[in-house]
Amino acid sequence: MKTRLFIVDDHYMVIEGIRSLLQQEEDIEWMGHATNGESCLAFLQRQEPEVILMDISMPGMSGIELCKEVKSHYPGIRILGLSTFNQRSFVEKMIENGASGYVLKNASKEELLKAIQAAKAFKTYMSFEAVQGLRSHSEKDLPILTRREKEVLEWIAAGLTNLEIAEKLFISATTVDTHRKNLMIKFEAKNVAALIHLASKAGLV
């Protein structure tokens, strides 16, 4: 039986890259893609895949939020987190929200197929990098921030709104919001005040 596969990612290059990797696989039935959480949920009202490859970082609803939403309404669907980050907080939150595994975007075709097969069989699959991320449990470990995240963090600490930061960095307010959400997850902060406190404690602002 073929595995009905769906992907959610806001980058078409990632979608096309994975599709080209798997399109010749006889055991995979490609059901399509969504570029955000809302369109994914709309698709699920019409069709139900077996496995979803789900990006973590997306504008609007994050993959972590979407994972929880999908599992609450469609518990039979297996979800594999798909990310460039192997940070412990990302991996843990996806698993807590019901994901069947976590794979990095640099995964080989063989590893991707292995993860999909494990998910279909109701098993958990974690890439080597994700396991390494889970093991880095020391309080001394600082979140790994991108250059843009550092810039956004500095402006957040300065008290600017998403719109004001967007104007400073010449990016959209939606993109700023995505960076803000990623920062909250990486620092495991429940609000902006906690984020600034933790970042200051770490010497990052």
Side-chain angles (χ1 to χ4, degrees):
M1 292 289 289
K2 291 187 176 184
T3 302
R4 300 189 306 279
L5 183 69
F6 190 75
I7 182 170
V8 189
D9 197 293
D10 63 323
H11 293 100
Y12 280 105
M13 286 182 67
V14 174
I15 293 169
E16 286 302 310
I18 292 176
R19 190 179 72 83
S20 64
L21 274 181
L22 304 178
Q23 64 182 353
Q24 301 300 325
E25 293 299 314
E26 295 181 358
D27 294 337
I28 300 292
E29 179 185 345
W30 184 266
M31 295 192 72
H33 68 270
T35 55
N36 55 58
E38 290 74 15
S39 56
C40 172
L41 293 173
F43 176 86
L44 294 181
Q45 291 179 353
R46 304 188 303 272
Q47 298 185 66
E48 192 168 321
E50 290 175 277
V51 178
I52 298 178
L53 296 175
M54 188 174 290
D55 186 22
I56 307 299
S57 177
M58 295 185 289
M61 184 185 296
S62 73
I64 291 170
E65 296 167 322
L66 179 60
C67 179
K68 186 175 183 179
E69 184 75 11
V70 171
K71 292 300 290 186
S72 67
H73 292 94
Y74 310 94
I77 294 177
R78 277 79 84 196
I79 295 170
L80 290 169
L82 189 66
S83 180
T84 54
F85 303 111
N86 72 326
Q87 191 165 322
R88 177 172 54 86
S89 55
F90 282 99
V91 181
E92 283 184 342
K93 288 183 184 298
M94 282 299 287
I95 300 303
E96 285 172 9
N97 286 352
S100 297
Y102 198 99
V103 182
L104 266 67
K105 290 185 178 180
N106 63 358
S108 65
K109 175 182 176 180
E110 290 70 26
E111 182 177 27
L112 201 52
L113 286 170
K114 192 181 294 184
I116 293 167
Q117 290 162 1
K120 182 176 182 177
F122 293 95
K123 296 178 182 178
T124 299
Y125 183 91
M126 305 291 286
S127 69
F128 174 77
E129 292 92 341
V131 173
Q132 291 296 101
L134 286 172
R135 286 175 178 167
S136 61
H137 208 82
S138 170
E139 289 183 359
K140 295 180 182 179
D141 291 337
L142 295 177
I144 299 171
L145 305 183
T146 65
R147 178 184 60 82
R148 184 65 85 191
E149 285 172 344
K150 289 176 182 177
E151 292 173 340
V152 171
L153 179 59
E154 289 171 2
W155 288 119
I156 290 173
L160 272 65
T161 65
N162 283 358
L163 188 59
E164 290 169 335
I165 295 172
E167 291 173 352
K168 291 279 188 184
L169 300 179
F170 302 102
I171 56 178
S172 71
T174 302
T175 300
V176 174
D177 188 57
T178 298
H179 288 310
R180 184 188 290 261
K181 286 180 179 178
N182 285 341
L183 286 165
M184 300 281 278
I185 293 168
K186 286 186 175 185
F187 281 94
E188 300 181 31
K190 295 189 180 298
N191 52 51
V192 173
L195 172 65
I196 295 171
H197 171 72
L198 292 167
S200 299
K201 192 176 178 181
L204 293 173
V205 293

